[in-house]
Amino acid sequence: MKVTAPVAGEYHDEIAWFDFADLPEMWMDHKSIAMEARNRLKDDIKREHIVYNLLPKQFTMPDLHQLHQDILEQEVERSRFQKKMLGTGIFERLPKLQKETPGRNPYLYRIKE
């Protein structure tokens, strides 16, 4: 999966990714804004499809599964998850297999247009 690499701008000396549990001191109410955004994302992933914009255009079910686990911060049973996701009808399986991993290669999917 592609990872976003933030870059410092002209008003920032440095920039980095942090776990929510390890957020540094932030100016004014920015820490509470970040925590509220996190809680909103947890709610959104359960009922809205907008969070799938966090995935690349083509992704595997393991990528989608990991996204859900990362956002929800809990284990999600894999086989049930895949059946539930495919049952939504919003994902299209692509004919081309991902060849980057050893062993069984997962199918690539995309959001139906």
Side-chain angles (χ1 to χ4, degrees):
M1 188 184 303
K2 186 177 178 181
V3 177
T4 301
V7 178
E10 81 178 84
Y11 298 107
H12 306 92
D13 294 332
E14 59 183 77
I15 190 166
W17 289 108
F18 293 92
D19 256 2
F20 277 101
D22 300 323
L23 287 176
E25 281 299 315
M26 293 184 184
W27 189 58
M28 295 180 62
D29 62 345
H30 289 89
K31 192 170 190 173
S32 66
I33 291 170
M35 298 307 281
E36 180 61 31
R38 173 189 185 200
N39 292 334
R40 176 72 186 265
L41 191 57
K42 283 182 177 184
D43 289 341
D44 287 351
I45 201 165
K46 294 175 186 172
R47 57 186 164 78
E48 295 183 28
H49 303 302
I50 194 164
V51 295
Y52 302 128
N53 290 325
L54 297 172
L55 292 166
K57 291 202 183 290
Q58 296 181 358
F59 54 89
T60 64
M61 275 296 149
D63 293 338
L64 183 61
H65 181 248
Q66 188 62 53
L67 175 66
H68 275 254
Q69 290 187 130
D70 290 345
I71 290 173
L72 296 172
E73 296 181 295
Q74 66 187 35
E75 290 291 317
V76 176
E77 203 267 310
R78 190 175 49 88
S79 63
R80 282 183 169 174
F81 173 81
Q82 185 165 338
K83 287 177 188 175
K84 180 179 178 182
M85 290 297 106
L86 294 175
T88 65
I90 65 168
F91 302 106
E92 175 183 2
R93 187 170 89 176
L94 302 173
K96 168 171 92 169
L97 293 175
Q98 181 182 12
K99 298 292 184 190
E100 299 167 6
T101 58
R104 202 166 167 211
N105 295 307
Y107 279 97
L108 289 171
Y109 290 84
R110 68 178 175 201
I111 306 292
K112 286 182 181 175
E113 296 183 16

